[in-house]
Structures are given as structure tokens and as C-alpha cells.
Amino acid sequence: MADWKAAAAEKRQSLVNLIPTEWVIPAPPPPDAQRDVTGDYVRQYLTEDEVSITESEVPTILRHIHQGQWKARDVAAAFCHRAALAHQLTNCLHEIFFDAALHDAHALDDHFAATGKLKGPLHGLPISLKDQFHVKGVETTMGYVGWIGTFQGEKGTGKEKVFESELVQELRDLGAIFYCKTSVPHTLMSGETINNIIGYVPNPKNRLLSAGGSSGGEGALLGLRGSCLGVGTDIGGSVRFPSAFNGLYGLRPSSGRLPYEGMANSMDGQNTVLSVLGPMAHSVDAVKLFTESVLSKQPWLHDPLVVEIPWRESVFQSTLNNSKPMVFGVLANDGQVSVQPPVERALRRVADVVKSLGHTLIEWDPPSHERATELAYGAYILDGGRDIFESFALSNEPMSNQVAQMYGREPKPESTASQVAALNVKKRAYQKEYMEYWNSTSKLNDLQEPVTAVIAPISAFAAPTPEKFHYYGYATFVNVLDYSSVVIPVTHCDKDIDVFDDRYVPMNSIDEQTWKDYDADTYHGAPVGVQLVGRRLRRKRYLRWQQ
Amino acid sequence: MADWKAAAAEKRQSLVNLIPTEWVIPAPPPPDAQRDVTGDYVRQYLTEDEVSITESEVPTILRHIHQGQWKARDVAAAFCHRAALAHQLTNCLHEIFFDAALHDAHALDDHFAATGKLKGPLHGLPISLKDQFHVKGVETTMGYVGWIGTFQGEKGTGKEKVFESELVQELRDLGAIFYCKTSVPHTLMSGETINNIIGYVPNPKNRLLSAGGSSGGEGALLGLRGSCLGVGTDIGGSVRFPSAFNGLYGLRPSSGRLPYEGMANSMDGQNTVLSVLGPMAHSVDAVKLFTESVLSKQPWLHDPLVVEIPWRESVFQSTLNNSKPMVFGVLANDGQVSVQPPVERALRRVADVVKSLGHTLIEWDPPSHERATELAYGAYILDGGRDIFESFALSNEPMSNQVAQMYGREPKPESTASQVAALNVKKRAYQKEYMEYWNSTSKLNDLQEPVTAVIAPISAFAAPTPEKFHYYGYATFVNVLDYSSVVIPVTHCDKDIDVFDDRYVPMNSIDEQTWKDYDADTYHGAPVGVQLVGRRLRRKRYLRWQQ
């Protein structure tokens, strides 16, 4: 027992040691003393220039660097500083490599000064990465104590601290700067972020709540503007939860769109429901720029699972300039768990805006999402938990309650190949049924067009309080269908508007639990987002409609 | 025992009964008396008009129908007649539905006469289908006696004889006519076509040899021009073997390109190495027309596994009109099994033509294909044979020696979900290594371009003699990599040129067997094809270079 605690403490302290003394917050306030550490709170530790840089949007940052007004080194330094503050307030980092960032930024500045040429479209842009990406010079623990000092739990592979994931190589080629990797729940299989190395990641806008997971470190870091663009992954909502919970835009593309090659992962090779990576940021522009830039690297030449579909600017522009009315589905309630008042209001607001723009809304009444959730969970536990229990066993560290909620405390029997195949067939049948429902919506509206996108909650709440993430069904159907989804920030919880509905009659026990978990005072101030769900590989078509 | 024999005999006889008396060949000669039943031999049973129709290329047939010179009913009747002859000579059919074809053709003619409008680009075109496609009005046995009178081995599903596979619906919408389904080896997992219902499918050009498999009925039918366009499937060479063995063009696209939704299959849900469907025909034009037409139906709206990549005529035309030299890899020998003399000559001929056109050739020296074969076999036996043994058990029919070669006579233990995942990871690593080798070829030639396509054998022989299909490695690497491949007919075996090399020193026992299996007299006259292998989803780029 002592061993894993010591190893975790050492790793935790090693991060603190990498924060320059002048950036240390002497006595960070506890969450109940200072719920919201964003905005003015965090700004008190920053210079005016640092605030100006870190609160600029990605296109502005790039323009300033590319036109010579800002140095890449100053931009990198500002984000390093703010990330260091963010970590002290939310435990959002697993790896800190500010030195490497500043070194790389200097090199870019020198190159630009000497040649007048940019390395690429992302020249000088700091990008934060979830701790599944391998970056040279640092390790990847994915929140496991047993992975410290190893390559994905193995020692002596020769890849330790030298191997880089495909996307990292591509972003580097595009000119990006890396400076930190962000925290995750061990196993990645939770909508909250907790592990035995860095502890719990609270929501910076309201630290009584979760920052979400599994890309929760990204969510918190971005929420505090310690990053302007981050990359997360999503197998059951893990990009979208922290995006929504922290007031961000977040994209979960279909699988085969962006390169996952060379990433650390849980249950690697489980290919019934695939994890995908996606950008998280403060604007659609940043999300678009990321996607367009990565596709310009032709990732299909370096990742066997990526399909060759280049960025189609013309499709993007035609959608943007499209004045034709479209049809949107609205999923207000999935019939399993009702959403809490702030989410209900956010959905209504988006629906109202869409309607006011002249689009048609229809009620989204698809094949049961309960079946989708069953399929997703079926995929997550095909190996009975073997992969994750092996990783825990490396150090004998305990599993968090959040993860135990899905996997239990002991491995279960593995599925057989026949059972894996049967699940794949069931999933395909569900996908087929769902797509035909989608097709059929052209008969349900006057425009006689099928729905372009579905406006849906991403969770029943703005964000859960710790250990209260009981229902994933609003997220997982997207993963089972392999649809694309983009989260957009909509509003904030307001205790005066979003009052507890004490007359609500729950549909079942999880619904009851979720209903009772809402407390207007506790939730006050938390961001609320919703998702727009599009068909497979189709996100570009509507990425920007909402602006 | 008697039961399965009786059921098989009854099914076999029911096919014969569907052949009009005037089309019956009184006493078909045995193979050794009449090896080659194509050309003049089969023509003796046909009218001049029937010969003219059935020996026309697809664009000609369509032009004649669409301009009113030919009736769809006459075209259908001619192909029905020739298919009936083909079946009597090669056992190439599992289902005969000439009545439905003539009925549908009449309806198309009437529609055209009344409105002057075509149903679609394939209006009136007879298309033959491998017996994995469900077509209303007939059953699908896939060569299993136990599937007779069922839907995929199950009774009372409500789908029997009414359900249609997605592609069938799309082709119907495009105007195609269906008239027969073609025979397969039970399980589909053999490069020869044999089952307990129709027996063995010999090669119509040389009936001492196999027509190939698993789309062997298609191969034989097309080889006899009882079809102008057929659809097969390929999980380990099953479109490409019968295409090459019967002098045809055949396309194995990457998975996710053409709609497999709603097909019967073996080990459905095994998604490590996916079966795909592809066209087989007498010309590249037919292959192109099929692909272009199917994509015009937007199959990604009806098949969850199809990716949205429309037909890009501009890419096709730019490749066609490209006068820039390209680089081609040549795989003369995979280091496991050397090809027999006719295949060696065919490869050399293609390489010479390509070189004479000004293109550059490099030797193809990729990651070991032995590893690819191991990965493919690993995928085929993940369930230890459970799926196929269950289908055999339905009737207690015996398994053919060809299939037993892969699966043995008893089921083996199933793999666990972890083992499935581990295989997926190994496969992905192989794909990655192979694609980086492909990328690296730009450094191996003066044009500094990576290879456009690889000229490779599809098998070590022109076609095997019965039970002599011992090596699949020239085909399976394509399936593991999920690359696209097109087979092109090149030449015919010639006993005077393709002499047995008695000085050859075999590399191993399978190589020795393959070497000794070549007999110039036996092989004389058999067609020889080779394949052109392109990267994933890239076949259109070079589909036509060879013309």
C-alpha cells in the first residue's frame, strides 16, 4: 500500500517542483471558500500582457505571432504561467514541460526572424494535450500510478520518453508548441476526473462541481484559459462532458477522421465502440482551424484507420452562407432520465434561436437510447475489465469509486469472440435502425428534408457534484452510432431561474437520483452546454450554423 | 445422414426443374472429354442473337436497350438461357429465378415504351449475385444444406424470401434485373467452390481446374458469359481468385466503400478483417459503371459502415488523362511461395507494358506477408469455427476437405475479448508498418513519388486443381491491409511456353507442393490474371491505367 502512495506522492510533487517559485500560489483557497477561480480571481496572479495573450482567441494569437507583434516565446510563457496557476487550483495537469515549450518557441521565433517564414499554419500556437498523447521528453501515466516510469505500463520498451503519437508529430510539423499534458481519470472510463496521482479535478467555474471527464484536465485548464486549444478523446462523452461543463466548444468527430495512431488507451484493440480524439476550445474558429490543419497533413497516409477525406472548404462555406431553412431535431428528454432545470433552459434557448432564424424544429423520437447505452456498456466491459485491472495491479493502487461504478471491484469473465461478434451485429442493427429513422424525418416536416442536426443535452446536469455522475445516456448514443457531435456553450446556471421542480415525478430510480441531485445554490454559476449531433463524418456541414 | 443427402438432392433437383426443357443439355460431357466449354462449345446451344447479346460488353448492352434497339426482356432471356447452360456445365448456380427476371424486364420495357423514361442508369441490365445476397422470392443457402428453407439458418424469422440486401435494393432502383444467384463453398472460406448441394464448380475454360472461390459460381458464370456483370465478396481473395481464374476484371474495394448491409455471411460481426463486396466483369467499363452507379445511390445513408465518399469523376478522368510517369511496385515473389510459370510470365508481361509506357518500376519489398497471412487466419478462426460448425450441425452434413484445411473437423476453443483486441492491435501495427513502407518508396526512385500501385500475383497458380489450393498469401495481405485491389486478365497458360522448371529449389514444403502441382499439360488454356493493389479507398486512381 505504502509503495503506490509514495510513488503517487513523488509524481505529484515532481509536478509542483516544475512550477517556478514565482508562479506558486502560497495558499490556494479551498473550493467552498472560493468556488469560482476563473476571471478576476486567476487574473490577480497575471500581468496585463499575460491576461491579454491568454484571453485572446486562437486566430488573434496566431495573427499577432505571424505578423510579428507577439513573440511565440511570450505567448508560450503566458500560457505556461496560467497553466501553472490552473494546476494549483484544479489539479488539471499530469505533465509539465514548460522548458521544452520555451525552447521550441525560441526556435520558432529565431526561424521566423531569420527567414521570415512560418513553420506552418499553427506556428507558435500552444496546444495542451490529454495525457493519452505521447510526447517526447515526458511520460504518459494516464492517471495510473503503475504507469509511472514506463511506456504504457511496460518497462524497457525503448519508447519511454522518445515516442510521439501521430497527432503530436503532425501538430509539431504545423508549428504548434506543447507545454503540458492534462489529467484524466485512471482507466479514462469516467465522466469525472480523479486518480491517485493528482486527486480530483474540480470545475474552475464552480469548484463544488466536477470539471468532467475523461478529458477533465483539459476542461479545467481551458476553463481557466490556461490553454487556448486542447485535444481530448471521447469514447462515451469524454470530450463533450468537460467541454460543456467548462463553457467550451468541443468536437467529437466520427472515427476514422482524425489520427488516433500511437496513443495510449484503455482496452486498446476493442473496436466495437472506438475512442476518437477531438479539439476543445473557446471558439468554433479554433475547432475549425485545428481540424483543417490536421487534415492538411494527410493523416490517412500515417494512420491506417483514417479515411481519406480532405477538408472541404467549399462545403464549409456553402453551409455557412446557406440561407435555406433547415430542419433540426430536438431531443428534450430521452425517456430514461430527465434533464435538470439549467439544461432544460439551455436546450430551449438553442431551440428558440434556431427557430427564430427560420429553421424548422421537430421532436426527436429515435430508436431507444437505452439500447444504445446497453450496447456501449457492453463494449466497455467486453474484457470483463481485464485490461484496467492489470494496470491497477501494477502498483496495487485502489480504483476510484467513479470507475468502480462501471467495472466493479473485481474483474468479470471475459466475453468470447462469438459474443464480441454478436455485439457488433447488434450494434450495426441499431445503427441501421437509427439511420433509417433519421432518413424518415424528411416525411415529418414541411420542408421535406431530413434533419440536419439534432439539438440534444450532453448530460442531465450542467456538471455533476463528486460521485454523482450516474447517467451517461445522453452522450453514449453518439459513440455507438459513431455520429459527429459538437458541444456549444449556451448559458450558466442561475439559482433564481433554474429552480428545483419539487413536483416532478421520476420515471425510475436513476431519474429520481438525478432529479434530487439538483441543488440551485450549489449549481449557481456553472456553465451549461448542449450538443449538436450530426450524421457520421458530417460535422463540417453544421459546425458553424450557430454563430 | 440420409436426411441431409435427401435435402441437398431435392434442392439440387429443384434448380434443374427451373431450367426450361428446351434449354437442357441432354448429356453434358465430362470434364476430361471437354475441358473448355466456353466459346464455340457453349455457342452451339444458342441462337445468333443470344450470342450477340451475351457477348456484348455492358456499355453496349445498355446503349442498345436505352436506345430502343434491344428489349430488356430479350436481353434477360438471352442471359437466362446462357446461365442455364453454364449451370449444367459448371454447377455455378444456387438459385434460379428466370420468371421473375422476365417479369421485371417486361415491366421495364413497358415503362420505357409508355413514358420514354429509363428507371435508372442500369435500366435492363441483368446482374448476377453471389448467394450471400438476399433477393425476394428466393432463399439464400450459402451452400449449407441446413440453411435450405430458412433465413440464414433460422426458421420463422419473417424475412424468408421477402428480405432484400441493401445493395440489391439499390441495384433494383438503378434498373438492374436479377435472374440467378451463384454458388459458393459452404462457409465461404475456400478458394475453391464446393458444397453438398451443387457439388464442385470447375473452371469453364479448363474444367480440370477450379473456377476459384468463394465467388466461384460468379467466376464460372461470367467465364461462360452467362452474366455480363456479377457481384462477389472478398475476405481473403474471394472476388479476386475467381476473377483471375476466369479471365475477368474484379474489384476488391476497401471496406466501407460499398454497402454490405443485410448480407448473409460467415462469422458475421467478426470485424478484425472485414468481408467486402465487389463487381466482377469482362471490362473495366463495367466495373466502373457498377461502382459509380451504386455510389450515386448514397449508400452511406442506408449502410452504417459505408463512408460518405461520392464518386469523383474528376479524379477518375485526371488519372485517365494523366501523362505523367508513375511508379509501380512489382511483387514477383513474396518469399513464401514462388508462383508457377504462367503467373510469372503474366507478371512480367504487365511489368513490361507498364515500363514501355514510361512508368518506373521498383521491386516491392514490404513488411513480411507471412505476418499478414497469420493475422488473416487469426481473424478467421477467432471463434474457433463455432459459427460454421453450428451451420453444419443444422443438417449434419459433412464439411468439404477444402474447408477442413482451415478449420479442422472439430471446433477449437474461442478467443477471448482480450485476444480479439490483441489481434486488432497487432493488425493495426502491421498496417502502420506497411503504410510507412509504402510512403518510403518515394525515396527509392528517381521520380521521388511513392508507388501508385503494386503489380502482384493473386495466387501462385493460374487456378488450382481440386484440393490443391494450399497457399493464400498473395491475396490475404490485401484484406489485412484493407487496401483496394483490381484483378486484370493478362494471358492464358501455354504448355509450350510455360514449362515446368525442374531445377527449382523450393523454399519450404508448401512451396514445394505448389511447384510440383504445376503441370503444363493440365494447365494449358487456363486464363491468368494479376492484381493491382492500391492504398485504402484509392482504387479509382488507377482503375484504368492498364487500358
Side-chain angles (χ1 to χ4, degrees):
Chain A
M1 179 74 83
D3 281 336
W4 72 259
K5 280 192 177 167
E10 190 187 333
K11 178 75 186 175
R12 184 163 56 245
Q13 186 59 40
S14 75
L15 279 178
V16 176
N17 296 346
L18 286 163
I19 297 175
T21 322
E22 62 273 26
W23 292 354
V24 172
I25 303 175
D32 46 1
Q34 183 70 39
R35 285 191 192 183
D36 182 357
V37 291
T38 66
D40 282 343
Y41 181 82
V42 68
R43 282 188 203 118
Q44 67 178 302
Y45 301 108
L46 295 160
T47 67
E48 213 170 294
D49 280 352
E50 285 173 331
V51 170
S52 166
I53 287 169
T54 53
E55 297 189 10
S56 294
E57 297 304 327
V58 166
T60 308
I61 294 170
L62 285 173
R63 197 173 57 246
H64 278 88
I65 298 175
H66 297 185
Q67 295 179 349
Q69 290 131 317
W70 288 351
K71 296 280 186 200
R73 72 191 72 168
D74 296 327
V75 171
F79 277 104
C80 289
H81 187 184
R82 196 152 178 161
L85 299 172
H87 181 61
Q88 294 172 76
L89 297 164
T90 64
N91 308 319
C92 60
L93 303 184
H94 270 174
E95 298 292 332
I96 284 175
F97 36 107
F98 299 155
D99 283 357
L102 294 174
H103 175 270
D104 292 346
H106 267 276
L108 285 180
D109 285 336
D110 292 349
H111 172 79
F112 186 52
T115 66
K117 284 185 182 150
L118 300 170
K119 189 172 180 192
L122 305 183
H123 181 103
L125 189 74
I127 293 182
S128 52
L129 301 167
K130 185 177 186 177
D131 195 30
Q132 282 181 264
F133 288 92
H134 295 295
V135 177
K136 66 183 179 197
V138 291
E139 62 189 15
T140 304
T141 66
M142 230 169 68
Y144 285 123
V145 176
W147 282 29
I148 296 170
T150 73
F151 182 79
Q152 300 179 177
E154 266 187 84
K155 284 183 183 168
T157 66
K159 293 185 175 178
E160 289 88 341
K161 296 197 180 181
V162 291
F163 179 82
E164 294 213 316
S165 303
E166 176 58 28
L167 185 82
V168 174
Q169 297 176 47
E170 293 178 4
L171 292 174
R172 253 189 219 288
D173 280 349
L174 291 161
I177 300 278
F178 305 113
Y179 60 115
C180 63
K181 293 204 293 174
T182 55
S183 48
V184 302
H186 47 210
T187 76
L188 309 173
M189 302 307 286
S190 172
E192 297 172 72
T193 294
I194 182 170
N195 64 60
N196 295 313
I197 301 172
I198 50 88
Y200 192 85
V201 180
N203 192 309
K205 193 76 189 162
N206 179 341
R207 291 195 295 166
L208 301 179
L209 306 176
S210 164
S214 64
S215 314
E218 279 303 328
L221 179 67
L222 282 153
L224 270 160
R225 294 222 174 232
S227 170
C228 58
L229 178 60
V231 193
T233 65
D234 193 318
I235 194 175
S238 286
V239 158
R240 291 166 291 151
F241 297 138
S243 295
F245 299 176
N246 294 284
L248 308 168
Y249 294 85
L251 172 66
R252 187 226 112 89
S254 298
S255 64
R257 195 70 175 117
L258 297 176
Y260 209 92
E261 175 67 30
M263 304 264 293
N265 200 2
S266 284
M267 297 158 287
D268 191 16
Q270 179 279 102
N271 64 1
T272 299
V273 175
L274 282 176
S275 175
V276 300
L277 63 85
M280 300 164 63
H282 300 284
S283 68
V284 169
D285 285 330
V287 169
K288 184 206 163 194
L289 183 74
F290 173 88
T291 309
E292 189 181 0
S293 300
V294 172
L295 292 179
S296 77
K297 296 301 293 177
Q298 303 190 287
W300 47 86
L301 294 181
H302 298 282
D303 182 334
L305 302 188
V306 172
V307 296
E308 183 181 348
I309 305 182
W311 176 265
R312 289 169 288 198
E313 184 65 22
S314 61
V315 174
F316 185 80
Q317 289 299 334
S318 73
T319 305
L320 198 60
N321 302 319
N322 180 11
S323 57
K324 233 180 60 177
M326 293 184 279
V327 185
F328 289 85
V330 179
L331 179 72
N333 193 310
D334 69 0
Q336 305 305 311
V337 172
S338 295
V339 300
Q340 292 179 354
V343 178
E344 195 183 340
R345 181 166 60 83
L347 271 174
R348 210 166 42 235
R349 180 185 285 193
V350 174
D352 287 348
V353 168
V354 168
K355 200 171 180 183
S356 74
L357 291 169
H359 301 300
T360 296
L361 300 179
I362 68 166
E363 191 190 335
W364 194 244
D365 185 22
S368 154
H369 283 190
E370 193 180 8
R371 277 169 59 204
T373 304
E374 278 167 24
L375 290 164
Y377 277 57
Y380 303 155
I381 59 155
L382 280 172
D383 74 349
R386 179 180 173 136
D387 175 72
I388 62 160
F389 280 97
E390 282 178 358
S391 286
F392 283 115
L394 291 173
S395 71
N396 287 317
E397 65 178 320
M399 179 191 272
S400 63
N401 292 335
Q402 283 88 342
V403 171
Q405 181 186 323
M406 180 168 295
Y407 288 95
R409 296 284 173 190
E410 297 289 336
K412 295 180 179 62
E414 291 206 45
S415 292
T416 63
S418 291
Q419 290 166 331
V420 175
L423 185 68
N424 290 336
V425 170
K426 268 175 88 170
K427 181 200 149 204
R428 199 180 65 217
Y430 182 76
Q431 289 178 292
K432 169 70 173 165
E433 198 179 323
Y434 209 100
M435 84 193 315
E436 292 300 347
Y437 168 69
W438 195 302
N439 293 334
S440 77
T441 58
S442 62
K443 301 195 193 91
L444 303 177
N445 69 82
D446 293 341
L447 297 173
Q448 298 192 304
E449 292 280 339
V451 155
T452 293
V454 179
I455 301 161
I458 175 66
S459 62
F461 31 67
T465 48
E467 296 192 34
K468 299 287 188 188
F469 206 138
H470 299 301
Y471 184 67
Y472 289 86
Y474 283 107
T476 41
F477 78 96
V478 170
N479 303 81
V480 169
L481 295 166
D482 201 15
Y483 283 174
S484 47
S485 169
V486 62
V487 160
I488 57 172
V490 180
T491 184
H492 292 83
C493 297
D494 186 323
K495 63 182 175 187
D496 298 323
I497 308 173
D498 305 315
V499 294
F500 183 78
D501 178 5
D502 52 16
R503 290 163 313 175
Y504 179 70
V505 181
M507 301 181 279
N508 53 57
S509 65
I510 297 184
D511 188 35
E512 181 172 10
Q513 219 168 1
T514 305
W515 168 53
K516 290 182 175 167
D517 283 345
Y518 180 63
D519 177 85
D521 282 322
T522 304
Y523 272 82
H524 187 70
V528 193
V530 304
Q531 64 179 335
L532 294 176
V533 180
R535 298 178 122 170
R536 192 157 162 249
L537 297 165
R538 284 211 170 184
R539 78 195 172 297
K540 293 187 307 301
R541 300 257 167 114
Y542 60 88
L543 190 61
R544 199 157 177 162
W545 73 270
Q546 76 281 2
Q547 286 219 313
Chain B
M1 179 74 84
D3 281 337
W4 72 259
K5 281 192 177 167
E10 190 187 333
K11 179 75 187 175
R12 185 164 55 244
Q13 186 58 41
S14 75
L15 279 179
V16 177
N17 296 346
L18 286 163
I19 297 175
T21 321
E22 62 274 25
W23 292 355
V24 172
I25 303 175
D32 48 0
Q34 182 69 40
R35 284 190 192 183
D36 182 357
V37 290
T38 66
D40 283 343
Y41 181 82
V42 69
R43 282 188 201 117
Q44 67 178 300
Y45 300 108
L46 295 160
T47 68
E48 213 170 297
D49 280 352
E50 286 172 329
V51 170
S52 166
I53 288 169
T54 52
E55 298 189 9
S56 294
E57 297 305 326
V58 166
T60 309
I61 293 171
L62 285 172
R63 197 173 58 244
H64 278 90
I65 298 174
H66 298 185
Q67 296 180 348
Q69 288 130 317
W70 288 351
K71 296 280 186 201
R73 72 192 71 168
D74 295 327
V75 171
F79 277 103
C80 289
H81 187 184
R82 196 151 178 161
L85 299 172
H87 181 61
Q88 294 172 75
L89 298 164
T90 63
N91 307 318
C92 61
L93 303 184
H94 271 174
E95 298 292 333
I96 285 175
F97 36 107
F98 300 154
D99 282 357
L102 294 173
H103 174 271
D104 292 346
H106 267 276
L108 286 180
D109 285 336
D110 291 350
H111 172 78
F112 186 53
T115 66
K117 284 185 183 153
L118 299 171
K119 189 172 179 192
L122 305 184
H123 181 103
L125 189 74
I127 293 183
S128 52
L129 302 166
K130 185 177 186 176
D131 196 30
Q132 282 181 265
F133 288 92
H134 295 296
V135 177
K136 67 183 178 197
V138 291
E139 63 188 13
T140 304
T141 67
M142 231 170 66
Y144 286 123
V145 176
W147 282 28
I148 296 170
T150 73
F151 182 79
Q152 301 180 177
E154 267 188 83
K155 283 184 182 168
T157 65
K159 292 184 175 179
E160 290 89 339
K161 296 196 180 183
V162 291
F163 179 82
E164 294 212 318
S165 303
E166 176 59 27
L167 184 82
V168 175
Q169 298 175 47
E170 293 178 4
L171 292 174
R172 255 190 218 288
D173 280 350
L174 292 161
I177 301 279
F178 305 114
Y179 61 115
C180 63
K181 293 205 293 174
T182 55
S183 47
V184 301
H186 47 209
T187 76
L188 310 173
M189 302 307 285
S190 171
E192 297 172 72
T193 294
I194 182 169
N195 63 61
N196 295 313
I197 301 172
I198 49 87
Y200 192 85
V201 180
N203 191 310
K205 193 74 188 164
N206 179 342
R207 292 195 294 165
L208 300 179
L209 306 176
S210 164
S214 65
S215 314
E218 278 303 328
L221 179 66
L222 283 153
L224 271 160
R225 294 224 175 230
S227 171
C228 58
L229 178 60
V231 193
T233 66
D234 193 317
I235 194 175
S238 287
V239 158
R240 291 166 291 152
F241 296 138
S243 295
F245 299 176
N246 293 284
L248 308 168
Y249 293 85
L251 172 66
R252 187 222 107 94
S254 298
S255 63
R257 195 69 175 117
L258 297 175
Y260 209 92
E261 176 66 32
M263 304 265 292
N265 200 2
S266 285
M267 297 159 285
D268 192 17
Q270 178 280 102
N271 65 1
T272 300
V273 176
L274 282 175
S275 175
V276 300
L277 64 84
M280 300 163 64
H282 300 283
S283 67
V284 168
D285 286 329
V287 169
K288 183 205 164 194
L289 184 74
F290 173 88
T291 309
E292 189 180 1
S293 301
V294 171
L295 292 179
S296 78
K297 296 301 294 177
Q298 302 190 288
W300 47 86
L301 295 180
H302 298 282
D303 182 334
L305 301 189
V306 172
V307 295
E308 184 181 347
I309 306 182
W311 177 263
R312 289 169 289 199
E313 184 66 21
S314 61
V315 174
F316 184 80
Q317 290 298 334
S318 72
T319 306
L320 198 58
N321 302 319
N322 180 10
S323 57
K324 232 181 59 179
M326 293 184 279
V327 186
F328 289 85
V330 179
L331 179 72
N333 193 309
D334 70 359
Q336 305 303 313
V337 172
S338 296
V339 300
Q340 292 179 353
V343 179
E344 196 182 339
R345 181 166 59 85
L347 272 174
R348 210 166 41 233
R349 179 184 286 193
V350 173
D352 287 348
V353 169
V354 168
K355 202 169 178 187
S356 75
L357 290 169
H359 301 300
T360 296
L361 300 179
I362 67 165
E363 192 190 334
W364 193 245
D365 185 22
S368 153
H369 283 190
E370 193 179 10
R371 277 168 61 203
T373 305
E374 277 167 24
L375 289 164
Y377 277 58
Y380 304 155
I381 60 157
L382 280 172
D383 74 350
R386 180 181 171 136
D387 175 73
I388 63 161
F389 281 98
E390 281 179 359
S391 286
F392 283 115
L394 291 172
S395 71
N396 287 318
E397 65 178 321
M399 180 190 273
S400 63
N401 292 335
Q402 283 87 343
V403 171
Q405 179 186 324
M406 179 169 296
Y407 289 95
R409 297 284 172 189
E410 298 290 336
K412 295 179 180 61
E414 291 205 45
S415 293
T416 62
S418 292
Q419 290 167 331
V420 174
L423 185 68
N424 290 335
V425 171
K426 268 176 87 172
K427 181 199 149 204
R428 200 180 65 217
Y430 182 77
Q431 289 179 292
K432 170 70 171 164
E433 198 178 322
Y434 209 101
M435 85 194 314
E436 294 300 348
Y437 168 69
W438 195 301
N439 293 333
S440 77
T441 58
S442 62
K443 299 193 195 94
L444 304 176
N445 68 84
D446 292 340
L447 297 173
Q448 298 191 306
E449 292 280 340
V451 155
T452 293
V454 179
I455 302 162
I458 174 66
S459 62
F461 31 67
T465 48
E467 298 193 35
K468 298 287 187 187
F469 207 138
H470 299 300
Y471 184 66
Y472 289 86
Y474 284 106
T476 42
F477 77 96
V478 170
N479 303 81
V480 169
L481 296 166
D482 201 15
Y483 283 173
S484 47
S485 169
V486 61
V487 159
I488 56 171
V490 180
T491 185
H492 292 84
C493 298
D494 185 323
K495 63 183 174 186
D496 297 324
I497 308 173
D498 305 316
V499 294
F500 183 78
D501 178 4
D502 51 17
R503 289 163 314 175
Y504 178 70
V505 181
M507 301 181 280
N508 54 57
S509 64
I510 297 184
D511 188 34
E512 182 173 8
Q513 219 167 1
T514 306
W515 168 52
K516 290 184 175 165
D517 284 345
Y518 179 64
D519 178 86
D521 281 321
T522 304
Y523 272 83
H524 187 70
V528 193
V530 304
Q531 63 179 337
L532 294 175
V533 179
R535 297 177 121 169
R536 193 156 159 246
L537 297 164
R538 283 211 170 183
R539 80 197 170 296
K540 296 187 305 302
R541 300 256 167 113
Y542 61 88
L543 191 59
R544 199 157 177 164
W545 73 271
Q546 75 283 359
Q547 288 220 311

